[in-house]
């Protein structure tokens, strides 16, 4: 039996959540609000995504034009990444979540085949964006963390 399924663990979890909500002052309030906002954004993306992704992909697939299908796929990724970024989360998380949604559709193999030519370009763009987000001053101040 998993720890999370025991009554004691559930009660302890509920008390921790209640305590976090009760002492919403200063930093704790901002952290709790940010966590709730992040959870809401993820749940909305997964919930609405399950309803919207399949019809969008079916519509794009019905055109029998690979360009439209690729455009719909990439647009879905961009919209989801924008939503997660607007919620204060990483855009990469949005891309990951929409990837999970794509994996549940009947179009998953078509997506994989059609995105294959862009994989190298998108991977390079990803690593370039990660490299550009490195704080070089922080690295210079504590080089021991790198080693």
């Amino acid at each position: 039996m998993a720890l999370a399924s025991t009554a004691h663990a559930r009660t302890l979890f509920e008390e921790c959540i209640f305590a976090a909500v009760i002492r919403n002052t200063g930093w704790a309030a901002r952290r709790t609000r940010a966590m709730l906002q992040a959870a809401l954004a993820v749940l909305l993306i997964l919930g609405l995504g399950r309803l919207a992704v399949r019809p969008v992909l079916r519509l794009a697939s019905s055109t029998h034009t690979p360009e439209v299908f690729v455009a719909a796929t990439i647009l879905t990724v961009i919209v989801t990444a924008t939503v997660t970024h607007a919620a204060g989360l990483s855009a990469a998380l949005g891309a990951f979540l929409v990837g999970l949604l794509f994996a549940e559709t009947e179009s998953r193999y078509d997506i994989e085949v059609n995105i294959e030519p862009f994989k190298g370009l998108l991977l390079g763009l990803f690593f370039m964006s990660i490299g550009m987000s490195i704080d070089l001053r922080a690295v210079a101040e504590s080089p021991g963390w790198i080693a």
Side-chain angles (χ1 to χ4, degrees):
M1 179 182 281
L3 178 65
S5 65
T6 65
H8 179 70
R10 281 193 303 269
T11 303
L12 185 62
F13 178 72
E14 290 166 0
E15 288 176 7
C16 289
I17 294 296
F18 182 72
V21 170
I22 291 300
R23 57 187 159 104
N24 274 344
T25 58
W27 182 76
R30 288 190 303 272
R31 183 184 64 183
T32 303
R33 182 172 181 225
M35 288 172 50
L36 291 173
Q37 185 177 359
L40 180 64
V42 169
L43 290 174
L44 278 173
I45 288 170
L46 292 177
L48 293 176
R50 288 178 193 260
L51 298 173
V53 167
R54 277 200 173 119
V56 167
L57 291 178
R58 281 191 194 127
L59 180 66
S61 182
S62 69
T63 64
H64 301 292
T65 309
E67 293 83 7
V68 172
F69 189 75
V70 169
T73 303
I74 292 176
L75 183 63
T76 306
V77 172
I78 290 171
V79 166
T80 308
T82 303
V83 168
T84 55
H85 182 71
L89 301 171
S90 167
L93 176 64
F96 173 74
L97 291 174
V98 81
L100 291 176
L101 292 171
F102 285 159
E104 294 178 352
T105 67
E106 60 274 359
S107 303
R108 63 183 168 269
Y109 299 114
D110 295 329
I111 292 169
E112 187 175 342
V113 168
N114 287 318
I115 295 295
E116 184 67 34
F118 302 100
K119 192 183 287 186
L121 176 67
L122 295 173
L123 193 59
L125 183 63
F126 170 75
F127 283 117
M128 214 165 57
S129 68
I130 295 298
M132 290 172 60
S133 68
I134 293 175
D135 185 3
L136 295 177
R137 282 187 220 143
V139 171
E141 289 173 2
S142 55
W145 285 97
I146 304 298

